[in-house]
């Protein structure tokens, strides 16, 4: 019988045990080494480049073919952290042959490996259309699209993000993503309990919608606009941002697409974002989107004006606490909407509050509408609008003065004089100088 060294005795007669232990130790070493490379490369492009210069990519790519899923996962992590910095490092990862193996990794049964492989493919794709095309040519889109409805929340986040990075670059790439039949499947993600799944789904739809009217129309036909509006309503903060921008992109393409946003009740929701959100960059996105909706026709502008959003835009534009970007976006939105708006009750408050650079657009609309609408002319007098017009001090020969003259030409001269500043003093002087007739 074997003595105290029985384990050693059995191992000496079972070389497969020695081999198995050796393989396990090798896996531990590989994972540890990949972890170190990941920890070094994640901090800066310079450190990531140092890992590339020392020949780490070839070893990491070999690890993607390892039988152990943990080794593959560790290698994918390291490659993702190297690729995410810039296009040059991503190209180095591609040149090392990582992309086809990462595509194989997303087909493995282990969820953790799928997540990291999808992350790596997204980090490679995000820098340029050429890198994204390389990922597409490896057949990644079809496999990513199949995982959109996977029950794992983190995996869905990475899959939606990777598809967004691919779709954002060109029309052709966006169409390839659409051709993978992601609609209407992706719309179910807008109702997901995980907020980042919602955000990434909105981002994917936004990146597709921004390219062409045809792609935006496809999203509208699939019910995407209404679904995004519902998603915006159910979220707060930065989760709303890609949905807000998506509505702006859709509305910017054409009158019909902007009307689809209006019909789906997108304008009240954008107005709510403008009023409710504390962050200036979200307010700026909402202001931009409202401007894109209202810039097409008087009907579009009226739909925006009826939500009472114009005074909010003006207040944000005039506020010293607003960021420069928010002020610029609000000014442009006001200009876009006012230049098409013929609904005068919405414009009249601007006569009292707007600075001259906005006032000229308001006066311009009154000068266009009043000559052709007798009812509007009467209401303009009764509301005090004509009186206010006479109080505006415009530079002689300026566009604003021209619009004021056009408005005054819509009324009898004595009416204009009556509402002009100082006219009451003139009348009193006439009273003082008047000599009554005596019998």
């Amino acid at each position: 019988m074997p003595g105290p060294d029985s384990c050693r005795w059995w191992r000496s007669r079972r070389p497969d045990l020695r081999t198995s232990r050796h393989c396990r130790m090798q896996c531990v070493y590989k994972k540890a080494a990949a972890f170190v490379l990941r920890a070094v490369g994640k901090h800066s492009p310079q450190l990531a480049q140092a890992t590339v210069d020392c020949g780490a990519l070839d070893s990491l790519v070999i690890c993607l073919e390892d039988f152990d899923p943990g080794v593959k996962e560790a290698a994918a992590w390291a490659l993702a952290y190297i690729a995410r910095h810039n296009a040059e490092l991503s190209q180095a990862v591609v040149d090392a042959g990582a992309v086809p193996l990462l595509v194989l990794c997303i087909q493995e049964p282990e969820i953790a490996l799928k997540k990291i492989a999808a992350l790596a493919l997204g980090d490679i794709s995000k820098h340029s259309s050429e890198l994204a095309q390389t990922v597409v040519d490896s057949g990644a889109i079809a496999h990513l699209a199949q995982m959109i409805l996977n029950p794992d929340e983190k995996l869905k986040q990475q899959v939606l993000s990777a598809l967004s990075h691919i779709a954002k670059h060109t029309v052709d790439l966006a169409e390839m993503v659409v051709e993978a039949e992601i609609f209407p499947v992706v719309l179910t993600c807008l109702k997901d309990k995980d907020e980042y799944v919602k955000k990434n789904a909105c981002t994917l739809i936004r990146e597709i919608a921004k390219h062409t009217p045809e792609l935006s129309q496809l999203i509208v036909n699939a019910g995407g606009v209404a679904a995004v509006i519902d998603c915006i309503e159910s979220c707060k903060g930065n989760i709303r941002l890609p949905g807000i921008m998506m509505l702006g992109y859709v509305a910017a393409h054409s009158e019909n697409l902007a009307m689809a946003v209006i019909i789906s009740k997108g304008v009240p929701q954008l107005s709510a974002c403008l009023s409710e959100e504390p962050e200036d960059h979200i307010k700026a996105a909402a202001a931009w989107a409202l401007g894109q909706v209202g810039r097409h026709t008087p009907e579009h502008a009226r739909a925006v004006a009826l939500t009472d959003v114009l005074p909010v835009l003006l207040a944000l534009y005039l506020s010293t606490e607003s960021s420069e970007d928010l002020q610029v976006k609000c000014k442009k939105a006001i200009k876009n909407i006012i230049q098409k708006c013929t609904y005068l009750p919405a414009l009249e408050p601007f006569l009292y509050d707007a600075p001259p650079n906005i006032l000229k657009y308001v006066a311009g609309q009154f000068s266009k509408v009043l000559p052709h609408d007798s009812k509007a002319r009467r209401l303009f007098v009764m509301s005090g609008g004509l009186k206010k017009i006479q109080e505006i001090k415009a530079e002689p020969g300026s566009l604003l003065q021209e619009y004021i003259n056009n408005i005054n030409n819509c009324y009898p001269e004595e009416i204009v004089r009556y509402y002009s500043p100082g006219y009451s003093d003139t009348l009193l002087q006439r009273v003082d100088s008047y000599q009554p007739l005596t019998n």
Side-chain angles (χ1 to χ4, degrees):
M1 290 289 294
D5 293 330
S6 59
C7 291
R8 191 180 306 152
W9 182 82
W10 279 109
R11 283 198 298 272
S12 66
R13 284 153 180 76
R14 291 287 305 275
D16 55 318
L17 292 177
R18 293 199 305 275
T19 304
S20 175
R21 183 174 180 275
H22 177 71
C23 290
R24 287 199 301 272
M25 291 304 297
Q26 273 195 329
C27 289
V28 171
Y29 296 148
K30 289 176 184 177
K31 285 187 278 190
F35 178 83
V36 172
L37 292 171
R38 165 187 158 191
V40 172
K42 73 177 183 180
H43 293 290
S44 69
Q46 292 77 19
L47 288 171
Q49 186 63 55
T51 64
V52 173
D53 293 341
C54 73
L57 289 181
D58 291 337
S59 299
L60 289 170
V61 169
I62 291 171
C63 287
L64 289 178
E65 299 182 274
D66 200 276
F67 71 92
D68 187 290
V71 173
K72 293 180 183 179
E73 182 185 341
W77 266 117
L79 290 167
Y81 274 57
I82 293 169
R84 68 177 42 179
H85 290 292
N86 55 48
E88 290 74 20
L89 288 166
S90 284
Q91 188 62 57
V93 172
V94 169
D95 293 342
V99 171
L101 296 173
L102 288 169
V103 173
L104 288 175
C105 286
I106 63 175
Q107 301 172 60
E108 295 287 346
E110 291 81 14
I111 294 295
L113 180 55
K114 287 178 181 287
K115 286 189 284 191
I116 305 312
L119 171 69
L121 290 170
D123 283 336
I124 293 169
S125 301
K126 70 182 182 181
H127 297 291
S128 70
S129 58
E130 292 78 15
L131 288 165
Q133 188 65 57
T134 301
V135 172
V136 171
D137 291 343
S138 296
I141 289 179
H143 299 294
L144 290 168
Q146 290 172 2
M147 294 187 287
I148 289 176
L149 292 182
N150 191 286
D152 187 274
E153 305 293 349
K154 297 291 185 182
L155 178 57
K156 280 191 284 190
Q157 290 176 21
Q158 299 302 340
V159 166
L160 293 167
S161 178
L163 289 171
S164 301
H165 288 314
I166 293 169
K168 73 181 182 182
H169 295 290
T170 67
V171 176
D172 290 339
L173 288 170
E175 287 177 345
M176 289 179 187
V177 173
V178 171
E179 287 167 4
E181 299 181 354
I182 65 167
F183 290 104
V185 176
V186 73
L187 301 182
T188 61
C189 296
L190 298 175
K191 298 180 180 180
D192 199 275
K193 62 184 179 182
D194 185 278
E195 289 195 334
Y196 288 97
V197 170
K198 290 181 180 180
K199 181 181 180 181
N200 290 358
C202 282
T203 302
L204 173 56
I205 298 169
R206 178 194 71 189
E207 300 298 354
I208 294 170
K210 74 181 184 182
H211 289 293
T212 65
E214 291 75 20
L215 286 170
S216 285
Q217 188 64 59
L218 183 148
I219 292 168
V220 171
N221 295 344
V225 168
V228 167
I229 291 168
D230 290 341
C231 180
I232 293 172
E233 187 175 9
S234 69
C235 301
K236 298 293 180 185
N238 280 317
I239 306 300
R240 282 175 155 177
L241 187 58
I244 292 169
M245 295 181 67
M246 176 266 180
L247 295 178
Y249 281 128
V250 171
H253 285 304
S254 71
E255 294 178 15
N256 291 337
L257 289 168
M259 189 54 67
V261 174
I262 293 171
I263 292 170
S264 299
K265 296 183 172 54
V267 173
Q269 195 54 56
L270 290 171
S271 301
C273 294
L274 188 68
S275 302
E276 295 171 2
E277 289 296 333
E279 298 290 336
D280 277 7
H281 67 283
I282 302 176
K283 289 178 182 287
W288 169 78
L290 286 164
Q292 298 308 310
V293 175
R295 73 181 178 86
H296 294 285
T297 70
E299 187 178 2
H300 291 79
R302 181 188 176 100
V304 175
L306 285 173
T307 63
D308 292 327
V309 75
L310 285 172
V312 180
L313 287 168
L314 181 62
L316 290 170
Y317 169 60
L318 296 175
S319 174
T320 56
E321 296 181 359
S322 296
S323 67
E324 182 180 353
D325 182 56
L326 176 56
Q327 289 177 327
V328 169
K329 295 290 195 305
C330 286
K331 180 186 177 184
K332 192 165 184 180
I334 292 168
K335 178 182 174 182
N336 286 344
I337 297 164
I338 286 177
Q339 286 185 316
K340 291 296 181 180
C341 187
T342 57
Y343 180 60
L344 299 187
L347 299 181
E348 202 160 314
F350 278 72
L351 295 175
Y352 300 88
D353 302 324
N357 61 334
I358 299 293
L359 194 57
K360 65 182 179 181
Y361 300 116
V362 179
Q365 289 306 104
F366 279 103
S367 73
K368 293 176 187 176
V369 175
L370 291 177
H372 311 290
D373 191 333
S374 58
K375 183 180 178 181
R377 290 197 295 271
R378 181 181 179 84
L379 289 173
F380 191 58
V381 173
M382 295 173 63
S383 67
L386 183 62
K387 181 176 184 296
K388 181 60 184 175
I389 282 290
Q390 309 314 312
E391 297 171 357
I392 296 173
K393 292 180 173 57
E395 291 289 330
S398 65
L399 193 58
L400 177 56
Q401 185 61 59
E402 181 183 336
Y403 290 145
I404 291 172
N405 294 339
N406 292 342
I407 293 170
N408 289 340
N409 290 338
C410 297
Y411 296 93
E413 186 178 348
E414 60 269 22
I415 296 293
V416 175
R417 282 204 311 269
Y418 178 78
Y419 286 107
S420 297
Y423 184 67
S424 58
D425 294 335
T426 303
L427 288 179
L428 287 173
Q429 289 173 8
R430 290 181 61 185
V431 169
D432 292 340
S433 62
Y434 182 73
Q435 297 295 326
L437 297 174
T438 56
N439 292 329

